Amino acid sequence: MKALILNSGLGSRMGSLTADRPKCMTALAGGTILSRQLELLEQAGIRDIVITTGAHKNALMEYCRQWEDRLDIAFVHNPFYDSTNYIYSIFLAGELLDDDIILMHGDLVFEASVLDDVLSFEGSCMTVSSDAEPSPKDFKAQIRDGLVEKVSVELGEGALPAQPLYRLTRQEMSRWLQKIGEFCRSEDLSLRRCYAEDALDRIPDKEIFPLDVGSRLCSEIDDPADLRRVAAELERVSRRVVYMCFSTDMIHSGHIKLIRRAARLGRVIAGVLSDEAVSGFKRLPLLPFSERQAMFASITGVSEAVEQRTLSYRENIERYRPDIVVHGDDWREGFQRPIREEVIRALKSYGGRLVEFPYSHDEKYHEIELRSRAEAAMPELRRGSLRRLLAMKPQIRAIEAHSGLTGLIAENTAVIQDGQPRQFDAMWISSLCDSTARGKPDIELVDMTSRLRTLDDIMEVTTKPVIFDGDTGGLTEHFVYTVRTLERVGASMVIIEDKTGLKRNSLFGTEAGQTQAPAEEFCRKISAGKSALKSSELMICARIESLILGKGVGDALERAHAYVEAGADAVMIHSRSSDPGEVLEFADRFRQRDGRTPLVAVPTAYSSVTEEELLSHGINIVIYANQLTRTGFPAMQSAARSILEHHRAKECDEMCMPFGEIIRLIPEDY
Ligand code: SPV
Ligand code: MG
């Protein structure tokens, strides 16, 4: 790629400013028009420059010596500069233009990002501006079928203001040069005085696309008034604030490229998503917020790294009022779409704008994401993830999983509400659902080896914290082994209930003749479990069955405090009443003495209670213990009945998930 800069003109409208130098050497923003162009080209990696000269040729060549070491500048002199137009200068430079060409007039001032867009354009383009007011003295472009059809100063209605900044493929340049040659070799000397664009217009099937620079700076300087306006605009550009937001904890070249591009638009403020926000839509970040913030603050091109507390940009847009928000164009679809729409609305309220760069689908970035997902699934990281989430969020939401597939549903299901994503934070490996899936009663009949098999199936395909339903924990002598195994595989919490003898499901209540273990005996089991742990990460949660067995809130409270004393890391209070009253009363009274130990509730029987209400009483973990199982089986029964009734499968087709979807549910590259 080469650049061609046309500097043969007289610049007579600039008055005394061009008395002893060409227009491109006019002072601007601490440099000159030309120095800005050359520096931007150099930054973009373009070293081969062709400059045409006319009046003050020596002054220009002398001035350019400062770039001698960094750029290869070839000068082409147009000796007839005062009687020809730049069409003749291009004609003279023809032999050097044997590459893709960036063509610009020497009096053109544009901001860095405009050049970036021109350079990254595939094919040939000319810059136009749908936001600018057409000026009688400047070029306009007539667009037809998405292509530039004609470029002229004279065009009126319907034509877009256009600037003489082109990217031309080698083929397109050579076709233009051929036409320019026809003009310049003609005996009709007036054809050397017309615009090069007049020759361009004569190419019938040219393929030059308009590249809309919108309201960005891209402007010719013809007279001192232009100079003042452009200088003021450049000053505004230098004060421009650009905002972007990152959730990643692994920075790769794609991020760096994006930041570099954004920095060409203005001063970059990098929003770094809080740990809570990241874990709300993705997973617990590998690096905590403070480290991610420091990482972004140290990247060249980022002037400040600030916290973005939610996935919604609204708060930070109001605080920093960025002129521009930059994002990859991948958020136009999918769960981030409403967030994007909110950003556009917020920016519009004060004249800011959104700039989207094409998202890079590079395989290696995808691989990095897979690696960080794999990392998060490793037992060492996963085990402590519930504790970390609890330290970060007031309440954790868990749902049951009893197979790899239901694990994926628990892991990936998301909805957007008020611009915020909602997902489950953790999974509950329910004894009821695990037993039911095997067609067995929930009486600790499914042995631990089988339960661990289910756990393994789920953990293999997911990354979120796992809460394991340990039933009664069995004999203390057995429980210590269970605890070690769970710790080794990376479970985050085991919940054991204070029952003894043949355990029946709690939802049977007193109908099933169940016995609560003496508090001291259960305390010993908790202590033994805690002592068996190798790390301090797996949490042992004591589940109190007093309300289930009709012993009242007082008994439950007494036990709860004793269990915490014995080492329990959390307390689960269970109830089969449809009224949450007794659970809430327990929580209120427990919190009077203990503000720290996490409280767990399972609102199956009292399902009308909301998470917010539970939180207001101090409940930190809400487990939806069996809803996937209870919704899945009736659907299967209906399908089976439908086939029997209709002697074929057609009628149950509409109940079925399409094959395409079920295949996509299971990621192949997990
Ligand atoms: C389970 O899901 O297995 C439980 C909760 O232990 S409950 O079924 O309500 O007892
Ligand atoms: Mg259970």
Side-chain angles (χ1 to χ4, degrees), residues 136-296:
K137 69 178 174 64
D138 291 335
F139 276 139
K140 270 78 71 183
Q142 188 170 294
I143 315 295
R144 184 192 288 261
D145 299 332
L147 290 170
V148 173
E149 188 187 37
K150 190 172 168 56
V151 179
S152 166
V153 174
E154 258 92 58
L155 292 172
E157 199 79 340
L160 281 178
Q163 299 81 27
L165 174 58
Y166 298 84
R167 180 199 166 118
L168 297 156
T169 61
R170 192 180 180 144
Q171 296 79 352
E172 212 65 54
M173 187 72 232
S174 105
R175 294 203 305 162
W176 194 2
L177 279 173
Q178 207 179 333
K179 255 307 162 226
I180 287 174
E182 286 171 23
F183 273 49
C184 292
R185 284 192 204 95
S186 162
E187 305 219 319
D188 177 359
L189 294 187
S190 72
L191 293 179
R192 299 179 183 192
R193 285 194 290 275
C194 65
Y195 290 112
E197 281 73 7
D198 293 334
L200 188 66
D201 291 346
R202 299 278 177 86
I203 305 173
D205 52 350
K206 60 184 171 296
E207 201 173 81
I208 300 182
F209 293 87
L211 191 158
D212 193 354
V213 302
S215 59
R216 281 178 293 168
L217 173 61
C218 186
S219 184
E220 279 181 284
I221 294 182
D222 289 324
D223 51 36
D226 282 348
L227 184 63
R228 281 191 297 278
R229 179 180 49 79
V230 167
E233 226 169 297
L234 269 180
E235 174 65 26
R236 253 200 315 278
V237 169
S238 71
R239 282 200 311 265
R240 212 188 257 157
V241 172
V242 177
Y243 185 79
M244 354 181 32
C245 179
F246 295 93
S247 63
T248 185
D249 37 20
M250 285 201 198
I251 296 179
H252 53 60
S253 57
H255 298 121
I256 302 285
K257 241 188 260 165
L258 195 66
I259 290 170
R260 293 261 153 87
R261 270 188 91 171
R264 310 268 279 176
L265 291 166
R267 190 173 77 82
V268 172
I269 299 182
V272 178
L273 216 51
S274 68
D275 290 340
E276 187 179 341
V278 177
S279 61
F281 88 103
K282 223 159 133 182
R283 76 185 82 82
L284 204 61
L286 298 174
L287 294 177
F289 168 77
S290 57
E291 284 190 36
R292 289 182 291 120
Q293 184 184 31
M295 196 161 78
F296 277 98

Side-chain angles (χ1 to χ4, degrees), residues 428-432 442 451 469-471 497 503 505 543:
W428 164 244
I429 317 299
S430 150
S431 68
L432 172 69
D442 181 19
R451 298 283 319 281
D469 178 356
D471 284 322
E497 57 197 273
K503 186 218 87 151
N505 184 274
R543 162 173 167 175

Side-chain angles (χ1 to χ4, degrees), residues 9 79 246 255 353 357 396 432 448 514 536 547 646 656 668:
F246 295 93
H255 298 121
R353 67 197 165 88
F357 294 142
I396 304 297
L432 172 69
M448 195 48 74
Q514 324 193 48
S536 57
L547 304 182
H646 297 97
C656 294
E668 267 182 29

